[in-house]
Amino acid sequence: MEAARPLRADARRNRERVLDAARASFREYGRNAQMDDVARRAGVGVGTVYRHFPDKAALVEALVSERFREFAEDGRRALEEEDDVWEAFTGWLMRCGEWQESDRAFCEYLTNAVPHETKALVAEREGLQEVDRLFIEKGKRAGVIRDDARPDDIPLIMAGIAATARTGGIGNWRRHLHIALDGLRSASDRKLPD
Amino acid sequence: MEAARPLRADARRNRERVLDAARASFREYGRNAQMDDVARRAGVGVGTVYRHFPDKAALVEALVSERFREFAEDGRRALEEEDDVWEAFTGWLMRCGEWQESDRAFCEYLTNAVPHETKALVAEREGLQEVDRLFIEKGKRAGVIRDDARPDDIPLIMAGIAATARTGGIGNWRRHLHIALDGLRSASDRKLPD
DNA sequence: GTACAATCGGAACCGGTGTTCCGGTTCCAG
DNA sequence: CTGGAACCGGAACACCGGTTCCGATTGTAC
């Protein structure tokens, strides 16, 4: 169903342009980015934007989806290339923070409850959860992550960083991340609730 | 200039009603709350809402301002009534989280950069910063807060909690807060960057 | 080369929401 | 009691931005 009819050459090219323009616009303005602006940057009419994406929400989802995938990939790579688990873990979240710093739409997505997610996005999110699981597990085994940590603590921290990446003053999200990481580190006198 | 002319009786009563309605509406819907809805809940016409607040932003600011003040007051009280500093500190932030959980507008305010703040709001925010300073100082002196912590780490954590109070699943913000608090606790092997 | 289907552009449309405006009403001073 | 200033209500307005639509254009199969 995907390759039913390979997009016409100009159509494919325009689709790329639209995606590029959307990336730029949404990263800068977040949800406030305007479809007209996306079209203008792409050097294309709004109609063309709508031919490739049914509506604005779909465009945002496509971009966020992309980010989730990149993030998960980066995590897997770190997990297998870096042999110090803690290094891999912190490096991974640090890079995530850097992306967030320059991607307003992504931050907004992480800090605001979204009504309905596409199947595609849910799948991407689940892929990421798997990476969270791997990190926590490996970290615990190596004794660097506290025993009562859970995979779903990571999204909490990511969302937190997303919030400060946009309001805490430039670069301050790094402190925030470090604090959270220290809280996740293994130590004998700690106990998370529940 | 404040008491130049004491508001007419009905006007004062309506002002209260508008504020009550606005509280309810903005807490539930955040920035998406509609002026018409506020007016309806207050049993008043939109015109009346606008007579007391120049525009929507002013209304939001009034409410956020109120929250900042309450939060600062609560902190001062905890600081002098509770003699265990760490208890006071964690209790304070916990209560803050609980407020956030039921105040969407407040969360949104903390997690989104706002263009221009009113003098009044800035003052309120500074009052809160003073409380942050007191907590950090007293905590360090008691040896329960790490030496390299800074007063402005607290707003970072608050913003982080605000993010998860709305996206992390019910009650999960508590875990997030605990992790952050453990990261802020004093321990010998830690060092924040910068 | 030609024809037709896919694609394009962007003006026009349209719903939603903040804000204004003014005739009617209410409060209060004298 | 009464005049008038302050206040009220909510219909109407204005603007903004997402979405639609269709005549013009372009790519490609035959």
Side-chain angles (χ1 to χ4, degrees), chain A residues 112-113 146 148 150 153 156 164 166-167 175-176 179-180 182-183 190 192, chain B residues 112-113 146 148 150 153 156 164 166-167 175-176 179-180 182-183 190 192:
Chain A
N112 291 285
R146 59 198 297 175
D148 52 3
R150 294 191 317 216
D153 287 334
L156 296 180
T164 44
R166 299 198 42 246
T167 55
R175 275 185 76 87
H176 187 188
I179 292 172
D182 273 355
R190 294 169 181 166
L192 287 180
Chain B
N112 292 285
R146 59 198 295 176
D148 51 2
R150 294 193 317 217
D153 287 334
L156 296 180
T164 44
R166 299 200 41 245
T167 54
R175 275 185 74 87
H176 187 188
I179 292 172
D182 273 354
R190 294 170 182 165
L192 288 180

PDB file of all heavy atoms in Angstrom, chain A residues 112-113 146 148 150 153 156 164 166-167 175-176 179-180 182-183 190 192, chain B residues 112-113 146 148 150 153 156 164 166-167 175-176 179-180 182-183 190 192:
ATOM      1  N   ASN A 112       3.164  18.916  27.280  1.00  0.00           N
ATOM      2  CA  ASN A 112       1.723  19.112  27.233  1.00  0.00           C
ATOM      3  C   ASN A 112       1.020  17.819  26.870  1.00  0.00           C
ATOM      4  O   ASN A 112       1.392  17.158  25.911  1.00  0.00           O
ATOM      5  CB  ASN A 112       1.364  20.187  26.200  1.00  0.00           C
ATOM      6  CG  ASN A 112       1.824  21.561  26.635  1.00  0.00           C
ATOM      7  OD1 ASN A 112       1.245  22.183  27.511  1.00  0.00           O
ATOM      8  ND2 ASN A 112       2.912  22.021  26.034  1.00  0.00           N
ATOM      9  N   ALA A 113       0.022  17.482  27.624  1.00  0.00           N
ATOM     10  CA  ALA A 113      -0.740  16.268  27.342  1.00  0.00           C
ATOM     11  C   ALA A 113      -1.363  16.403  25.964  1.00  0.00           C
ATOM     12  O   ALA A 113      -1.919  17.444  25.620  1.00  0.00           O
ATOM     13  CB  ALA A 113      -1.815  16.077  28.397  1.00  0.00           C
ATOM     14  N   ARG A 146      20.195   3.277  40.922  1.00  0.00           N
ATOM     15  CA  ARG A 146      19.539   2.787  42.133  1.00  0.00           C
ATOM     16  C   ARG A 146      18.547   1.663  41.827  1.00  0.00           C
ATOM     17  O   ARG A 146      17.899   1.659  40.781  1.00  0.00           O
ATOM     18  CB  ARG A 146      18.848   3.934  42.866  1.00  0.00           C
ATOM     19  CG  ARG A 146      17.810   4.638  42.031  1.00  0.00           C
ATOM     20  CD  ARG A 146      17.451   5.994  42.588  1.00  0.00           C
ATOM     21  NE  ARG A 146      16.839   5.877  43.900  1.00  0.00           N
ATOM     22  CZ  ARG A 146      16.519   6.910  44.650  1.00  0.00           C
ATOM     23  NH1 ARG A 146      16.800   8.151  44.239  1.00  0.00           N
ATOM     24  NH2 ARG A 146      15.955   6.745  45.816  1.00  0.00           N
ATOM     25  N   ASP A 148      15.648   0.912  43.001  1.00  0.00           N
ATOM     26  CA  ASP A 148      14.204   1.175  42.904  1.00  0.00           C
ATOM     27  C   ASP A 148      13.837   2.082  41.733  1.00  0.00           C
ATOM     28  O   ASP A 148      12.718   2.554  41.631  1.00  0.00           O
ATOM     29  CB  ASP A 148      13.686   1.739  44.226  1.00  0.00           C
ATOM     30  CG  ASP A 148      14.502   2.937  44.689  1.00  0.00           C
ATOM     31  OD1 ASP A 148      15.431   3.340  43.945  1.00  0.00           O
ATOM     32  OD2 ASP A 148      14.226   3.452  45.783  1.00  0.00           O
ATOM     33  N   ARG A 150      12.850   3.003  37.891  1.00  0.00           N
ATOM     34  CA  ARG A 150      11.994   2.307  36.932  1.00  0.00           C
ATOM     35  C   ARG A 150      12.188   2.916  35.551  1.00  0.00           C
ATOM     36  O   ARG A 150      12.503   4.100  35.437  1.00  0.00           O
ATOM     37  CB  ARG A 150      10.531   2.440  37.337  1.00  0.00           C
ATOM     38  CG  ARG A 150      10.199   1.742  38.629  1.00  0.00           C
ATOM     39  CD  ARG A 150       8.693   1.663  38.868  1.00  0.00           C
ATOM     40  NE  ARG A 150       7.996   2.908  38.549  1.00  0.00           N
ATOM     41  CZ  ARG A 150       6.955   3.361  39.244  1.00  0.00           C
ATOM     42  NH1 ARG A 150       6.508   2.699  40.295  1.00  0.00           N
ATOM     43  NH2 ARG A 150       6.368   4.471  38.887  1.00  0.00           N
ATOM     44  N   ASP A 153      10.740   6.254  34.773  1.00  0.00           N
ATOM     45  CA  ASP A 153      11.228   7.462  35.429  1.00  0.00           C
ATOM     46  C   ASP A 153      11.921   8.342  34.395  1.00  0.00           C
ATOM     47  O   ASP A 153      11.985   9.565  34.543  1.00  0.00           O
ATOM     48  CB  ASP A 153      12.238   7.110  36.530  1.00  0.00           C
ATOM     49  CG  ASP A 153      11.547   6.490  37.736  1.00  0.00           C
ATOM     50  OD1 ASP A 153      10.358   6.776  37.949  1.00  0.00           O
ATOM     51  OD2 ASP A 153      12.210   5.715  38.459  1.00  0.00           O
ATOM     52  N   LEU A 156       9.824  10.962  32.732  1.00  0.00           N
ATOM     53  CA  LEU A 156       9.554  12.047  33.673  1.00  0.00           C
ATOM     54  C   LEU A 156      10.688  13.061  33.628  1.00  0.00           C
ATOM     55  O   LEU A 156      10.473  14.272  33.552  1.00  0.00           O
ATOM     56  CB  LEU A 156       9.426  11.503  35.099  1.00  0.00           C
ATOM     57  CG  LEU A 156       8.266  10.543  35.387  1.00  0.00           C
ATOM     58  CD1 LEU A 156       8.298  10.098  36.848  1.00  0.00           C
ATOM     59  CD2 LEU A 156       6.938  11.214  35.073  1.00  0.00           C
ATOM     60  N   THR A 164      12.535  23.039  31.434  1.00  0.00           N
ATOM     61  CA  THR A 164      13.571  24.030  31.760  1.00  0.00           C
ATOM     62  C   THR A 164      14.424  24.419  30.565  1.00  0.00           C
ATOM     63  O   THR A 164      15.091  25.446  30.605  1.00  0.00           O
ATOM     64  CB  THR A 164      14.484  23.518  32.878  1.00  0.00           C
ATOM     65  OG1 THR A 164      14.825  22.156  32.639  1.00  0.00           O
ATOM     66  CG2 THR A 164      13.754  23.608  34.197  1.00  0.00           C
ATOM     67  N   ARG A 166      13.326  25.576  28.071  1.00  0.00           N
ATOM     68  CA  ARG A 166      12.696  26.747  27.486  1.00  0.00           C
ATOM     69  C   ARG A 166      12.401  27.860  28.476  1.00  0.00           C
ATOM     70  O   ARG A 166      12.041  28.959  28.077  1.00  0.00           O
ATOM     71  CB  ARG A 166      11.402  26.357  26.776  1.00  0.00           C
ATOM     72  CG  ARG A 166      11.634  25.369  25.647  1.00  0.00           C
ATOM     73  CD  ARG A 166      10.464  25.349  24.712  1.00  0.00           C
ATOM     74  NE  ARG A 166       9.954  26.671  24.442  1.00  0.00           N
ATOM     75  CZ  ARG A 166       8.774  27.122  24.806  1.00  0.00           C
ATOM     76  NH1 ARG A 166       7.958  26.350  25.472  1.00  0.00           N
ATOM     77  NH2 ARG A 166       8.402  28.332  24.514  1.00  0.00           N
ATOM     78  N   THR A 167      12.544  27.613  29.763  1.00  0.00           N
ATOM     79  CA  THR A 167      12.192  28.667  30.720  1.00  0.00           C
ATOM     80  C   THR A 167      13.278  28.940  31.746  1.00  0.00           C
ATOM     81  O   THR A 167      13.239  29.957  32.426  1.00  0.00           O
ATOM     82  CB  THR A 167      10.927  28.283  31.505  1.00  0.00           C
ATOM     83  OG1 THR A 167      11.154  26.997  32.107  1.00  0.00           O
ATOM     84  CG2 THR A 167       9.726  28.199  30.602  1.00  0.00           C
ATOM     85  N   ARG A 175      22.058  21.867  34.612  1.00  0.00           N
ATOM     86  CA  ARG A 175      22.055  21.674  36.071  1.00  0.00           C
ATOM     87  C   ARG A 175      20.873  20.803  36.475  1.00  0.00           C
ATOM     88  O   ARG A 175      21.012  19.877  37.268  1.00  0.00           O
ATOM     89  CB  ARG A 175      21.954  23.024  36.785  1.00  0.00           C
ATOM     90  CG  ARG A 175      23.283  23.707  36.972  1.00  0.00           C
ATOM     91  CD  ARG A 175      23.124  24.965  37.795  1.00  0.00           C
ATOM     92  NE  ARG A 175      22.934  24.727  39.221  1.00  0.00           N
ATOM     93  CZ  ARG A 175      23.928  24.586  40.096  1.00  0.00           C
ATOM     94  NH1 ARG A 175      25.168  24.614  39.692  1.00  0.00           N
ATOM     95  NH2 ARG A 175      23.654  24.388  41.365  1.00  0.00           N
ATOM     96  N   HIS A 176      19.744  21.125  35.921  1.00  0.00           N
ATOM     97  CA  HIS A 176      18.543  20.369  36.243  1.00  0.00           C
ATOM     98  C   HIS A 176      18.760  18.880  35.944  1.00  0.00           C
ATOM     99  O   HIS A 176      18.454  18.011  36.769  1.00  0.00           O
ATOM    100  CB  HIS A 176      17.373  20.913  35.433  1.00  0.00           C
ATOM    101  CG  HIS A 176      16.048  20.321  35.794  1.00  0.00           C
ATOM    102  ND1 HIS A 176      14.907  20.551  35.072  1.00  0.00           N
ATOM    103  CD2 HIS A 176      15.686  19.496  36.808  1.00  0.00           C
ATOM    104  CE1 HIS A 176      13.906  19.893  35.619  1.00  0.00           C
ATOM    105  NE2 HIS A 176      14.345  19.253  36.670  1.00  0.00           N
ATOM    106  N   ILE A 179      21.125  17.250  38.447  1.00  0.00           N
ATOM    107  CA  ILE A 179      20.465  16.986  39.726  1.00  0.00           C
ATOM    108  C   ILE A 179      19.627  15.720  39.634  1.00  0.00           C
ATOM    109  O   ILE A 179      19.714  14.823  40.483  1.00  0.00           O
ATOM    110  CB  ILE A 179      19.563  18.186  40.128  1.00  0.00           C
ATOM    111  CG1 ILE A 179      20.436  19.402  40.462  1.00  0.00           C
ATOM    112  CG2 ILE A 179      18.683  17.817  41.314  1.00  0.00           C
ATOM    113  CD1 ILE A 179      19.654  20.680  40.679  1.00  0.00           C
ATOM    114  N   ALA A 180      18.844  15.638  38.567  1.00  0.00           N
ATOM    115  CA  ALA A 180      17.995  14.464  38.391  1.00  0.00           C
ATOM    116  C   ALA A 180      18.837  13.196  38.275  1.00  0.00           C
ATOM    117  O   ALA A 180      18.513  12.156  38.864  1.00  0.00           O
ATOM    118  CB  ALA A 180      17.117  14.634  37.161  1.00  0.00           C
ATOM    119  N   ASP A 182      21.793  12.653  39.494  1.00  0.00           N
ATOM    120  CA  ASP A 182      22.325  12.302  40.812  1.00  0.00           C
ATOM    121  C   ASP A 182      21.264  11.642  41.670  1.00  0.00           C
ATOM    122  O   ASP A 182      21.566  10.824  42.535  1.00  0.00           O
ATOM    123  CB  ASP A 182      22.865  13.556  41.519  1.00  0.00           C
ATOM    124  CG  ASP A 182      24.321  13.812  41.124  1.00  0.00           C
ATOM    125  OD1 ASP A 182      24.889  12.968  40.408  1.00  0.00           O
ATOM    126  OD2 ASP A 182      24.874  14.838  41.532  1.00  0.00           O
ATOM    127  N   GLY A 183      20.030  12.015  41.428  1.00  0.00           N
ATOM    128  CA  GLY A 183      18.950  11.405  42.188  1.00  0.00           C
ATOM    129  C   GLY A 183      18.675   9.976  41.730  1.00  0.00           C
ATOM    130  O   GLY A 183      18.055   9.194  42.450  1.00  0.00           O
ATOM    131  N   ARG A 190      18.745   5.687  49.983  1.00  0.00           N
ATOM    132  CA  ARG A 190      17.643   6.286  49.236  1.00  0.00           C
ATOM    133  C   ARG A 190      16.519   5.310  48.999  1.00  0.00           C
ATOM    134  O   ARG A 190      16.720   4.122  48.859  1.00  0.00           O
ATOM    135  CB  ARG A 190      18.140   6.787  47.883  1.00  0.00           C
ATOM    136  CG  ARG A 190      19.120   7.917  48.007  1.00  0.00           C
ATOM    137  CD  ARG A 190      19.728   8.123  46.658  1.00  0.00           C
ATOM    138  NE  ARG A 190      20.711   9.185  46.684  1.00  0.00           N
ATOM    139  CZ  ARG A 190      21.570   9.374  45.711  1.00  0.00           C
ATOM    140  NH1 ARG A 190      21.545   8.580  44.658  1.00  0.00           N
ATOM    141  NH2 ARG A 190      22.432  10.349  45.792  1.00  0.00           N
ATOM    142  N   LEU A 192      12.736   5.515  46.804  1.00  0.00           N
ATOM    143  CA  LEU A 192      11.643   6.208  46.144  1.00  0.00           C
ATOM    144  C   LEU A 192      10.320   5.687  46.681  1.00  0.00           C
ATOM    145  O   LEU A 192      10.226   4.529  47.067  1.00  0.00           O
ATOM    146  CB  LEU A 192      11.706   5.993  44.634  1.00  0.00           C
ATOM    147  CG  LEU A 192      12.827   6.742  43.908  1.00  0.00           C
ATOM    148  CD1 LEU A 192      12.769   6.448  42.430  1.00  0.00           C
ATOM    149  CD2 LEU A 192      12.712   8.223  44.145  1.00  0.00           C
TER     150      LEU A 192
ATOM    151  N   ASN B 112       6.159  27.383  30.166  1.00  0.00           N
ATOM    152  CA  ASN B 112       6.267  28.112  28.908  1.00  0.00           C
ATOM    153  C   ASN B 112       6.832  29.497  29.124  1.00  0.00           C
ATOM    154  O   ASN B 112       6.375  30.221  29.997  1.00  0.00           O
ATOM    155  CB  ASN B 112       4.893  28.224  28.246  1.00  0.00           C
ATOM    156  CG  ASN B 112       4.381  26.896  27.770  1.00  0.00           C
ATOM    157  OD1 ASN B 112       4.826  26.365  26.771  1.00  0.00           O
ATOM    158  ND2 ASN B 112       3.441  26.336  28.528  1.00  0.00           N
ATOM    159  N   ALA B 113       7.808  29.848  28.331  1.00  0.00           N
ATOM    160  CA  ALA B 113       8.395  31.179  28.439  1.00  0.00           C
ATOM    161  C   ALA B 113       7.315  32.213  28.153  1.00  0.00           C
ATOM    162  O   ALA B 113       6.550  32.082  27.216  1.00  0.00           O
ATOM    163  CB  ALA B 113       9.536  31.320  27.452  1.00  0.00           C
ATOM    164  N   ARG B 146      23.159  19.736  49.501  1.00  0.00           N
ATOM    165  CA  ARG B 146      24.525  19.732  48.978  1.00  0.00           C
ATOM    166  C   ARG B 146      25.095  21.147  48.866  1.00  0.00           C
ATOM    167  O   ARG B 146      24.366  22.109  48.580  1.00  0.00           O
ATOM    168  CB  ARG B 146      24.582  19.025  47.635  1.00  0.00           C
ATOM    169  CG  ARG B 146      23.695  19.657  46.584  1.00  0.00           C
ATOM    170  CD  ARG B 146      23.440  18.708  45.430  1.00  0.00           C
ATOM    171  NE  ARG B 146      24.668  18.411  44.706  1.00  0.00           N
ATOM    172  CZ  ARG B 146      24.733  17.548  43.713  1.00  0.00           C
ATOM    173  NH1 ARG B 146      23.645  16.885  43.337  1.00  0.00           N
ATOM    174  NH2 ARG B 146      25.860  17.321  43.091  1.00  0.00           N
ATOM    175  N   ASP B 148      26.962  22.612  46.677  1.00  0.00           N
ATOM    176  CA  ASP B 148      26.983  23.323  45.397  1.00  0.00           C
ATOM    177  C   ASP B 148      25.585  23.616  44.860  1.00  0.00           C
ATOM    178  O   ASP B 148      25.434  24.042  43.724  1.00  0.00           O
ATOM    179  CB  ASP B 148      27.809  22.542  44.370  1.00  0.00           C
ATOM    180  CG  ASP B 148      27.365  21.083  44.288  1.00  0.00           C
ATOM    181  OD1 ASP B 148      26.406  20.722  44.986  1.00  0.00           O
ATOM    182  OD2 ASP B 148      28.001  20.327  43.532  1.00  0.00           O
ATOM    183  N   ARG B 150      22.147  25.747  44.418  1.00  0.00           N
ATOM    184  CA  ARG B 150      21.912  27.189  44.313  1.00  0.00           C
ATOM    185  C   ARG B 150      20.420  27.471  44.428  1.00  0.00           C
ATOM    186  O   ARG B 150      19.595  26.623  44.066  1.00  0.00           O
ATOM    187  CB  ARG B 150      22.404  27.705  42.963  1.00  0.00           C
ATOM    188  CG  ARG B 150      23.906  27.611  42.802  1.00  0.00           C
ATOM    189  CD  ARG B 150      24.397  28.401  41.599  1.00  0.00           C
ATOM    190  NE  ARG B 150      23.545  28.223  40.416  1.00  0.00           N
ATOM    191  CZ  ARG B 150      24.012  28.150  39.166  1.00  0.00           C
ATOM    192  NH1 ARG B 150      25.319  28.202  38.949  1.00  0.00           N
ATOM    193  NH2 ARG B 150      23.184  28.022  38.165  1.00  0.00           N
ATOM    194  N   ASP B 153      18.145  26.694  41.598  1.00  0.00           N
ATOM    195  CA  ASP B 153      17.902  25.310  41.187  1.00  0.00           C
ATOM    196  C   ASP B 153      16.453  24.956  41.484  1.00  0.00           C
ATOM    197  O   ASP B 153      15.860  24.091  40.831  1.00  0.00           O
ATOM    198  CB  ASP B 153      18.821  24.353  41.964  1.00  0.00           C
ATOM    199  CG  ASP B 153      20.262  24.455  41.470  1.00  0.00           C
ATOM    200  OD1 ASP B 153      20.464  24.833  40.303  1.00  0.00           O
ATOM    201  OD2 ASP B 153      21.172  24.159  42.265  1.00  0.00           O
ATOM    202  N   LEU B 156      13.964  25.471  38.715  1.00  0.00           N
ATOM    203  CA  LEU B 156      14.155  24.438  37.699  1.00  0.00           C
ATOM    204  C   LEU B 156      13.351  23.202  38.069  1.00  0.00           C
ATOM    205  O   LEU B 156      12.637  22.624  37.244  1.00  0.00           O
ATOM    206  CB  LEU B 156      15.634  24.057  37.585  1.00  0.00           C
ATOM    207  CG  LEU B 156      16.614  25.130  37.110  1.00  0.00           C
ATOM    208  CD1 LEU B 156      18.026  24.575  37.064  1.00  0.00           C
ATOM    209  CD2 LEU B 156      16.199  25.656  35.743  1.00  0.00           C
ATOM    210  N   THR B 164       5.582  17.291  34.541  1.00  0.00           N
ATOM    211  CA  THR B 164       5.106  15.925  34.755  1.00  0.00           C
ATOM    212  C   THR B 164       3.771  15.873  35.480  1.00  0.00           C
ATOM    213  O   THR B 164       3.104  14.844  35.450  1.00  0.00           O
ATOM    214  CB  THR B 164       6.135  15.094  35.522  1.00  0.00           C
ATOM    215  OG1 THR B 164       6.660  15.850  36.600  1.00  0.00           O
ATOM    216  CG2 THR B 164       7.268  14.705  34.604  1.00  0.00           C
ATOM    217  N   ARG B 166       1.289  17.148  34.505  1.00  0.00           N
ATOM    218  CA  ARG B 166       0.253  17.105  33.478  1.00  0.00           C
ATOM    219  C   ARG B 166       0.467  16.051  32.406  1.00  0.00           C
ATOM    220  O   ARG B 166      -0.415  15.811  31.601  1.00  0.00           O
ATOM    221  CB  ARG B 166       0.123  18.473  32.812  1.00  0.00           C
ATOM    222  CG  ARG B 166      -0.267  19.564  33.791  1.00  0.00           C
ATOM    223  CD  ARG B 166      -0.840  20.739  33.072  1.00  0.00           C
ATOM    224  NE  ARG B 166      -1.715  20.332  31.987  1.00  0.00           N
ATOM    225  CZ  ARG B 166      -1.472  20.567  30.699  1.00  0.00           C
ATOM    226  NH1 ARG B 166      -0.391  21.179  30.329  1.00  0.00           N
ATOM    227  NH2 ARG B 166      -2.323  20.175  29.785  1.00  0.00           N
ATOM    228  N   THR B 167       1.610  15.403  32.387  1.00  0.00           N
ATOM    229  CA  THR B 167       1.841  14.448  31.311  1.00  0.00           C
ATOM    230  C   THR B 167       2.331  13.083  31.793  1.00  0.00           C
ATOM    231  O   THR B 167       2.296  12.120  31.043  1.00  0.00           O
ATOM    232  CB  THR B 167       2.909  14.964  30.329  1.00  0.00           C
ATOM    233  OG1 THR B 167       4.082  15.290  31.074  1.00  0.00           O
ATOM    234  CG2 THR B 167       2.426  16.186  29.608  1.00  0.00           C
ATOM    235  N   ARG B 175       7.176  10.828  42.146  1.00  0.00           N
ATOM    236  CA  ARG B 175       8.447  10.140  41.920  1.00  0.00           C
ATOM    237  C   ARG B 175       9.479  11.113  41.376  1.00  0.00           C
ATOM    238  O   ARG B 175      10.620  11.163  41.822  1.00  0.00           O
ATOM    239  CB  ARG B 175       8.277   8.985  40.935  1.00  0.00           C
ATOM    240  CG  ARG B 175       7.820   7.703  41.578  1.00  0.00           C
ATOM    241  CD  ARG B 175       7.795   6.568  40.587  1.00  0.00           C
ATOM    242  NE  ARG B 175       9.106   6.053  40.231  1.00  0.00           N
ATOM    243  CZ  ARG B 175       9.738   5.103  40.910  1.00  0.00           C
ATOM    244  NH1 ARG B 175       9.189   4.591  41.989  1.00  0.00           N
ATOM    245  NH2 ARG B 175      10.917   4.681  40.514  1.00  0.00           N
ATOM    246  N   HIS B 176       9.050  11.870  40.400  1.00  0.00           N
ATOM    247  CA  HIS B 176       9.943  12.838  39.785  1.00  0.00           C
ATOM    248  C   HIS B 176      10.524  13.781  40.845  1.00  0.00           C
ATOM    249  O   HIS B 176      11.717  14.028  40.896  1.00  0.00           O
ATOM    250  CB  HIS B 176       9.170  13.624  38.723  1.00  0.00           C
ATOM    251  CG  HIS B 176      10.034  14.542  37.915  1.00  0.00           C
ATOM    252  ND1 HIS B 176       9.520  15.444  37.028  1.00  0.00           N
ATOM    253  CD2 HIS B 176      11.372  14.700  37.871  1.00  0.00           C
ATOM    254  CE1 HIS B 176      10.504  16.108  36.452  1.00  0.00           C
ATOM    255  NE2 HIS B 176      11.636  15.689  36.950  1.00  0.00           N
ATOM    256  N   ILE B 179      13.062  12.050  43.083  1.00  0.00           N
ATOM    257  CA  ILE B 179      14.354  11.880  42.419  1.00  0.00           C
ATOM    258  C   ILE B 179      15.141  13.182  42.474  1.00  0.00           C
ATOM    259  O   ILE B 179      16.316  13.211  42.847  1.00  0.00           O
ATOM    260  CB  ILE B 179      14.157  11.441  40.954  1.00  0.00           C
ATOM    261  CG1 ILE B 179      13.583  10.029  40.913  1.00  0.00           C
ATOM    262  CG2 ILE B 179      15.468  11.512  40.190  1.00  0.00           C
ATOM    263  CD1 ILE B 179      13.168   9.578  39.526  1.00  0.00           C
ATOM    264  N   ALA B 180      14.474  14.262  42.129  1.00  0.00           N
ATOM    265  CA  ALA B 180      15.148  15.560  42.132  1.00  0.00           C
ATOM    266  C   ALA B 180      15.633  15.913  43.537  1.00  0.00           C
ATOM    267  O   ALA B 180      16.748  16.409  43.716  1.00  0.00           O
ATOM    268  CB  ALA B 180      14.197  16.628  41.606  1.00  0.00           C
ATOM    269  N   ASP B 182      16.414  13.890  45.939  1.00  0.00           N
ATOM    270  CA  ASP B 182      17.575  13.068  46.275  1.00  0.00           C
ATOM    271  C   ASP B 182      18.828  13.602  45.590  1.00  0.00           C
ATOM    272  O   ASP B 182      19.936  13.457  46.097  1.00  0.00           O
ATOM    273  CB  ASP B 182      17.337  11.618  45.862  1.00  0.00           C
ATOM    274  CG  ASP B 182      16.633  10.847  46.964  1.00  0.00           C
ATOM    275  OD1 ASP B 182      16.449  11.422  48.056  1.00  0.00           O
ATOM    276  OD2 ASP B 182      16.278   9.673  46.739  1.00  0.00           O
ATOM    277  N   GLY B 183      18.625  14.220  44.437  1.00  0.00           N
ATOM    278  CA  GLY B 183      19.772  14.789  43.744  1.00  0.00           C
ATOM    279  C   GLY B 183      20.271  16.056  44.409  1.00  0.00           C
ATOM    280  O   GLY B 183      21.401  16.480  44.190  1.00  0.00           O
ATOM    281  N   ARG B 190      29.335  14.054  45.023  1.00  0.00           N
ATOM    282  CA  ARG B 190      28.599  14.734  43.969  1.00  0.00           C
ATOM    283  C   ARG B 190      29.182  16.090  43.641  1.00  0.00           C
ATOM    284  O   ARG B 190      29.728  16.769  44.500  1.00  0.00           O
ATOM    285  CB  ARG B 190      27.150  14.925  44.394  1.00  0.00           C
ATOM    286  CG  ARG B 190      26.400  13.634  44.528  1.00  0.00           C
ATOM    287  CD  ARG B 190      25.096  13.940  45.185  1.00  0.00           C
ATOM    288  NE  ARG B 190      24.317  12.735  45.405  1.00  0.00           N
ATOM    289  CZ  ARG B 190      23.270  12.712  46.216  1.00  0.00           C
ATOM    290  NH1 ARG B 190      22.909  13.801  46.856  1.00  0.00           N
ATOM    291  NH2 ARG B 190      22.608  11.607  46.374  1.00  0.00           N
ATOM    292  N   LEU B 192      27.983  19.345  40.989  1.00  0.00           N
ATOM    293  CA  LEU B 192      27.240  19.912  39.875  1.00  0.00           C
ATOM    294  C   LEU B 192      28.204  20.678  38.983  1.00  0.00           C
ATOM    295  O   LEU B 192      29.201  21.212  39.457  1.00  0.00           O
ATOM    296  CB  LEU B 192      26.150  20.850  40.397  1.00  0.00           C
ATOM    297  CG  LEU B 192      24.957  20.177  41.062  1.00  0.00           C
ATOM    298  CD1 LEU B 192      23.970  21.230  41.513  1.00  0.00           C
ATOM    299  CD2 LEU B 192      24.287  19.213  40.095  1.00  0.00           C
TER     300      LEU B 192
END
